[in-house]
Amino acid sequence: MTGRFSSVFPVLEWLPRYDSSWLRLDIVAGITVAASVIPEGLAYASLANLPPETGLYAGLMAVIAYFFLGTSRQLIVGPTSALSILVASGVGYVATGNTASYASLVLVTTLLVGVIAFVAWILRLGFLVHFISGSVLTGFSAGAALYIMSTQLNKLFGIESSVSGGFFEQSFFGRIWYITSHLGMMNAETLVVGVAGIVLLVLGERYLPRFPNALVIVVLAILVMSATDLEARGVDIVGSIPSGLPSLSVPAVPELSTLGSLVPIAAALFLLSYVEGIGAIQTFARRHDYDTDANQELLADAGANLAAGLGGGFPVGGSFSRSALNDSVGGKTQFTNAVVVLVLVVVLLFLTDVFTTLPETILAAVVIVAVSGLIDTTAIRRLYRASKSEFAIAMASLLGVLTVGMLWGIYVGVILSLLVAISRVSRPSTHELGQVAGTNDFVGLDVTRSATTISDVFVYRVEAELFYANAETVRTDLLDRLANRDSDVELVVFDLTSSPTVDFEAAQMLEKLHQKLESREIDLRFAGAEPDVVQMFETTGLAANAGGVKPEEPIADAIDRWRTERSS
């Protein structure tokens, strides 16, 4: 019974075996991470066009859920910049300017994200994340960072936001145009405070990377506002933040048409939430050599978003920056999350009044510096040098975000990833094989130049499974390569060592290939076939037509058997 529960609640597995020597490190890490969660939670709530306390609610509920359900020892779950701006752009469009409706729809959307993640866990769809290519994520992250920065410029400069909700005005380029064309309206004091915040944050990250720089700068800004008349001179502040813990409640279900409009937004949020988290999870699991469970992380993502939705927050996901901070200060286990919870509870109960005079331009500074790390110029340059096609895909994903926004930018990235995957499986790597002198080994002629061909035998291998999407491509490639042989070929050996499965349509293609070769008086034999493939060939009749297929028969044995049959 315990084993069954521990598979759903990993805390039952690791907590009884907790090493007490880790406690001090986890407490220090938890306090340090909480010092980052507080200002970022306030900033990301502002980014999502929600009251500041919702960022703290979301962070609190998310870490509670992950403590019980997560498998990563370093991951910190909570609001992220990309999720926040996607909420603002996606749900904001559905709400059409109705503030009360918007807040309720955000809660519904957050619950939908949790439901979608839960269904994905039931269906064990953790493998789907691998279909999002690294080049797409590189481009999407850079585009998301630039897009998010553009949304903060009005707060940084103290310029009133555009009242227009047009498509261009809400795009990256539209926001840049609006700011540059309204510089005469900026508030100089606001800009000075915001730029000072950015400079201090950048210097802090460079020289004191383990220090709670964001929290310190937030406190400094509050002290400055208390000692000066900057508020009277037009520097906007956060305003009152209600104290107390979030109350659990289920939001009202909107009309069916509105709910239908929220589903694709929730699907995009789920995808982004899971991809953000799993990337950090895999990074730290490899670094510290322990196992995680991609499917269990779907359940953790579901639990975190359901908890955030019921607790008055907004969609959450794994934060790479806060997870990296947790790791850098020595966090050892998920117990760090429990410490973060305790700190957030204290803040919500007793310290919310402290943040009343926090300048909004400082929140903009926190967001801008936080998302700047998403622009991985090193990875972009490496892509450009290594593969122009992968670089083009990354740039297309980046431009997708900048031109059509975060929501559709995600779907551009997904479509590009799927197209890349389809392209690769439909055009697999293939080789003509040659024999290594003095051995029975056969290797690709393009890999080992010393390998030689047998004058009357053509040996061919596909580095992929054979199925309907690549069947005709493989057939055409084989015949083209065969046509380029200088000598007359009497036998084609199709090596299936790298093709563990062959579907019915691929088997039909191989039957047509056999007939084509037979009309040219060329025999076709198979080597290295898995037992399931042999059974498929026997079912379709191909095995009998191709001289019989033996499971996992080596290439050399298949050739010898063919020669023996011909001579008898």
Side-chain angles (χ1 to χ4, degrees), residues 493-553:
V493 178
F494 200 124
D495 179 29
L496 295 169
T497 304
S498 300
S499 304
T501 60
V502 178
D503 74 356
F504 180 72
E505 190 163 334
Q508 287 186 310
M509 176 277 290
L510 293 172
E511 177 60 40
K512 292 178 183 178
L513 176 64
H514 166 261
Q515 295 170 1
K516 179 79 171 179
L517 294 174
E518 190 175 43
S519 68
R520 300 181 184 179
E521 298 183 347
I522 300 174
D523 288 332
L524 174 64
R525 296 296 173 93
F526 296 96
E530 294 285 338
D532 289 345
V533 175
V534 174
Q535 184 177 359
M536 170 65 77
F537 287 175
E538 290 174 346
T539 301
T540 59
L542 178 59
N545 294 334
V549 181
K550 294 186 177 181
E552 300 176 350
E553 184 177 28

Side-chain angles (χ1 to χ4, degrees), residues 27-230:
I27 291 175
V28 172
I31 294 172
T32 305
V33 169
S36 173
V37 169
I38 294 165
E40 289 188 5
L42 298 173
Y44 296 153
S46 173
L47 194 58
N49 292 329
L50 290 166
E53 67 272 11
T54 60
L56 301 180
Y57 295 165
L60 173 66
M61 302 305 293
V63 291
I64 290 174
Y66 197 80
F67 173 81
F68 291 101
L69 299 171
T71 62
S72 172
R73 301 172 189 172
Q74 281 75 37
L75 188 72
I76 301 297
V77 178
T80 71
S81 55
L83 290 170
S84 301
I85 195 62
L86 184 51
V87 166
S89 59
V91 182
Y93 178 81
V94 176
T96 61
N98 187 322
T99 304
S101 173
Y102 174 73
S104 177
L105 292 180
V106 168
L107 296 178
V108 172
T109 304
T110 307
L111 294 176
L112 283 174
V113 173
V115 170
I116 293 172
F118 183 78
V119 171
W121 172 69
I122 293 291
L123 299 177
R124 302 187 65 79
L125 299 181
F127 69 92
L128 289 178
V129 70
H130 300 299
F131 283 89
I132 309 298
S133 71
S135 55
V136 165
L137 288 178
T138 297
F140 174 81
S141 296
L146 293 172
Y147 183 89
I148 291 166
M149 287 179 185
S150 74
T151 67
Q152 298 303 291
L153 292 179
N154 64 302
K155 294 178 183 177
L156 184 67
F157 284 82
I159 298 174
E160 289 294 326
S161 300
S162 171
V163 295
S164 171
F167 175 79
F168 177 73
E169 289 79 2
Q170 297 302 316
S171 70
F172 169 81
F173 299 104
R175 293 178 193 277
I176 296 298
W177 171 255
Y178 179 81
I179 292 297
T180 55
S181 61
H182 290 77
L183 287 176
M185 298 171 55
M186 77 175 180
N187 182 283
E189 288 84 355
T190 298
L191 181 60
V192 169
V193 172
V195 170
I198 291 175
V199 171
L200 291 174
L201 283 167
V202 171
L203 291 174
E205 285 193 355
R206 181 172 182 178
Y207 297 107
L208 297 168
R210 298 186 179 186
F211 199 68
N213 298 295
L215 184 62
V216 170
I217 289 162
V218 163
V219 172
L220 284 175
I222 292 171
L223 293 174
V224 169
M225 292 296 291
S226 301
T228 64
D229 63 344
L230 286 174

Side-chain angles (χ1 to χ4, degrees), residues 11 14 18 23 25-34 37 58-78 290 297 300 304 317-319 322-323 326 331-345:
V11 65
W14 64 263
Y18 187 81
L23 183 60
L25 291 171
D26 280 343
I27 291 175
V28 172
I31 294 172
T32 305
V33 169
V37 169
L60 173 66
M61 302 305 293
V63 291
I64 290 174
Y66 197 80
F67 173 81
F68 291 101
L69 299 171
T71 62
S72 172
R73 301 172 189 172
Q74 281 75 37
L75 188 72
I76 301 297
V77 178
Y290 64 86
E297 289 301 322
S319 168
R322 293 193 289 274
S323 303
N326 179 26
K332 293 293 184 182
T333 70
Q334 294 94 317
F335 191 78
T336 300
N337 289 274
V339 179
V340 174
V341 169
L342 291 175
V343 174
L344 289 178
V345 166

Side-chain angles (χ1 to χ4, degrees), residues 2 22 37 83 252 292 296 554:
T2 303
W22 294 341
V37 169
L83 290 170
T292 59
Q296 177 63 26

Side-chain angles (χ1 to χ4, degrees), residues 343-366:
V343 174
L344 289 178
V345 166
V346 170
V347 170
L348 284 167
L349 288 176
F350 307 110
L351 301 176
T352 54
D353 287 344
V354 173
F355 299 97
T356 300
T357 56
L358 173 63
E360 288 198 349
T361 186
I362 288 294
L363 292 182
V366 170

